[in-house]
């Protein structure tokens, strides 16, 4: 009798996080059985899955039943959401999920806080260094101009992949973007941070501690994902910031923290309490977040501290062939 291979369900496999997770798992252990889902029938990640199942939208009333049916029929051991929408749906429907499987979900009680930049800032005031900001109000332009000068940043409270961010040069810009963003936005000081923006990761253990912190100095693509990353060592100041935030937030599993370095401080941009789009880059640097999920959620083991490589990774466009009968 052979042992059943570990079966992992990854959602959103047409997106960069989803197929990054697939490739990270396959590099770690080619015997892992990977089930991929996506709402698009031509999602590229199906190329590397053992089985692909066309998905349903996360905001559908049938989403949880759909996930449960896959868990039952495919004997899924672990579910890792690859897109924000699926993460939210799994957390909100957690009590209705089939718990014969494990789920890579971060601090479920705080997910709405992490999802909202303004709520995140309010929650962490006094704990983390924050970029100076002003909440939305009827005189926001005048207040921001007086406090920050021009230009300043207008940012939506809830947005992903660097969307919902505008540079405000004058009142005309402000009127245009504030109408688009609505009341769910805030103004931030524009800081001169060339080459000083970082996407950092840690694997939270649920008790305020973490392992394998990484720090990538990044350049973004037009789509908002990291296109070039330099792995730099986490210095004492940054480690102190990450430690204080983690103790407050009790992260569990892969967590992404974005900082800017300014005036000798690491100022928090936002928190993504999930796997980020640079997960495949971190695997190349020696930190495999997908494998850490296997160790932590399935094997009840503290993930090993990994030796990291330091260098630069360039992301490029590749091609995947499908025969005419596949798509």
């Amino acid at each position: 009798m052979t042992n059943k291979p570990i079966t992992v369900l990854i959602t959103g496999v047409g997106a960069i996080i989803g197929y990054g997770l697939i490739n990270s798992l396959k590099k770690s252990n080619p015997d892992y059985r990977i089930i991929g889902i996506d709402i698009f029938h031509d999602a590229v990640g199906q190329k590397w899955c053992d089985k692909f199942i066309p998905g349903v939208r996360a905001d559908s009333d049938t989403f949880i039943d759909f996930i449960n049916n896959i868990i039952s029929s495919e004997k899924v051991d672990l579910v890792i959401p690859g897109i924000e929408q699926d993460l939210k749906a799994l957390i909100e429907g957690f009590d209705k999920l089939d718990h014969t499987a494990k789920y890579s979900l971060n601090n479920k009680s705080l997910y709405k806080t992490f999802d909202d930049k303004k709520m995140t800032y309010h929650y962490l005031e006094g704990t983390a260094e924050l970029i100076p900001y002003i909440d939305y109000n009827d005189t926001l332009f005048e207040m921001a101009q007086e406090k920050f000068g021009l230009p300043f940043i207008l940012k939506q409270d809830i947005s992903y992949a660097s969307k919902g961010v505008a540079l405000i040069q004058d009142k005309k810009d402000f009127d245009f973007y504030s109408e688009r963003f609505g009341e769910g936005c805030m103004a931030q000081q524009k800081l001169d941070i060339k080459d000083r923006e970082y996407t950092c990761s840690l694997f939270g253990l649920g008790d305020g501690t973490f392992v394998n912190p990484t720090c990538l100095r990044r350049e973004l693509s037009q789509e908002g994902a990291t296109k070039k990353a330099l792995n730099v060592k986490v210095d004492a100041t940054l480690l102190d910031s990450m430690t204080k935030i983690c103790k407050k937030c009790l992260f569990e599993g892969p967590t992404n923290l974005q900082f800017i370095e300014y005036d000798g401080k690491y100022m928090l941009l936002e928190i993504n309490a999930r796997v980020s789009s640079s997960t495949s880059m971190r695997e190349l640097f020696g930190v495999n977040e997908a494998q850490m999920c296997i160790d932590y959620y399935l094997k009840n083991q503290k993930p090993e501290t990994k030796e990291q490589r330091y260098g630069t990774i360039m992301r490029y466009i590749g091609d995947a062939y499908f025969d005419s009968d596949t798509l």
Side-chain angles (χ1 to χ4, degrees), residues 224-241:
T226 301
K227 69 175 183 179
K228 178 180 179 181
L230 170 69
N231 192 24
V232 299
K233 292 186 178 181
V234 177
D235 64 29
T237 302
L238 179 56
L239 183 61
D240 181 64
S241 297

Side-chain angles (χ1 to χ4, degrees), residues 49 76 97 155 284:
C49 294
V76 171
L97 287 169
K155 182 178 290 187
L284 289 174

Side-chain angles (χ1 to χ4, degrees), residues 5 19 22 46 76 88 93 98 139 149 180 210 212 237 254:
Y19 56 75
I22 295 169
Q46 66 185 281
V76 171
K88 177 181 178 181
D98 182 343
T139 61
R180 175 181 290 185
F210 57 90
N212 291 322
T237 302

Side-chain angles (χ1 to χ4, degrees), residues 90-108:
L90 291 170
I91 289 176
E92 291 182 345
F94 187 74
D95 291 341
K96 298 178 182 179
L97 287 169
D98 182 343
H99 290 281
T100 60
K102 301 293 184 181
Y103 300 84
S104 177
L105 304 175
N106 216 305
N107 187 326
K108 295 185 288 297

Side-chain angles (χ1 to χ4, degrees), residues 38-257:
D38 199 284
I39 61 172
F40 297 106
H41 78 282
D42 56 354
V44 69
Q46 66 185 281
K47 181 74 175 180
W48 306 289
C49 294
D50 295 289
K51 184 173 183 178
F52 175 71
I53 300 173
V56 301
R57 289 177 57 92
D59 57 5
S60 167
D61 292 337
T62 64
F63 180 75
I64 296 299
D65 287 339
F66 170 73
I67 294 295
N68 285 341
N69 287 337
I70 295 175
I71 290 170
S72 175
S73 62
E74 302 296 335
K75 303 297 186 290
V76 171
D77 299 296
L78 175 66
V79 179
I80 307 178
I83 59 172
E84 194 87 30
Q85 296 87 339
D86 292 345
L87 172 71
K88 177 181 178 181
L90 291 170
I91 289 176
E92 291 182 345
F94 187 74
D95 291 341
K96 298 178 182 179
L97 287 169
D98 182 343
H99 290 281
T100 60
K102 301 293 184 181
Y103 300 84
S104 177
L105 304 175
N106 216 305
N107 187 326
K108 295 185 288 297
S109 64
L110 285 178
Y111 89 93
K112 288 185 178 179
T113 298
F114 302 145
D115 198 40
D116 186 304
K117 297 175 181 64
K118 188 182 297 179
M119 290 176 64
T120 299
Y121 273 42
H122 289 173
Y123 185 73
L124 288 173
E125 280 184 314
T127 299
E129 296 287 349
L130 304 173
I131 301 171
Y133 73 99
I134 303 172
D135 287 347
Y136 180 87
N137 62 73
D138 291 338
T139 61
L140 181 58
F141 178 79
E142 291 76 14
M143 291 179 65
Q145 184 179 23
E146 180 179 354
K147 184 174 181 179
F148 306 142
L150 292 172
F152 63 85
I153 302 296
L154 192 69
K155 182 178 290 187
Q156 281 185 301
D157 298 340
I158 300 175
S159 62
Y160 314 112
S162 298
K163 306 298 191 297
V165 179
L167 180 67
I168 305 302
Q169 301 273 11
D170 51 33
K171 187 64 161 58
K172 184 179 179 181
D173 286 343
F174 179 82
D175 291 341
F176 175 81
Y177 285 106
S178 61
E179 182 177 355
R180 175 181 290 185
F181 293 169
E183 296 183 4
C185 65
M186 62 181 175
Q188 283 187 329
Q189 183 176 357
K190 183 183 183 301
L191 303 175
D192 184 9
I193 56 165
K194 182 175 175 58
D195 297 328
R196 287 295 180 266
E197 184 172 344
Y198 301 95
T199 178
C200 302
S201 75
L202 57 84
F203 194 97
L205 302 178
D207 60 357
T209 65
F210 57 90
V211 295
N212 291 322
T214 68
C215 178
L216 308 184
R217 194 170 74 201
R218 66 178 183 169
E219 293 181 17
L220 294 177
S221 67
Q222 290 184 341
E223 292 74 26
T226 301
K227 69 175 183 179
K228 178 180 179 181
L230 170 69
N231 192 24
V232 299
K233 292 186 178 181
V234 177
D235 64 29
T237 302
L238 179 56
L239 183 61
D240 181 64
S241 297
M242 296 172 76
T243 299
K244 289 177 179 177
I245 294 170
C246 195
K247 284 182 178 178
K248 175 76 172 180
C249 297
L250 302 178
F251 298 124
E252 186 171 16
T255 306
N256 173 245
L257 308 173

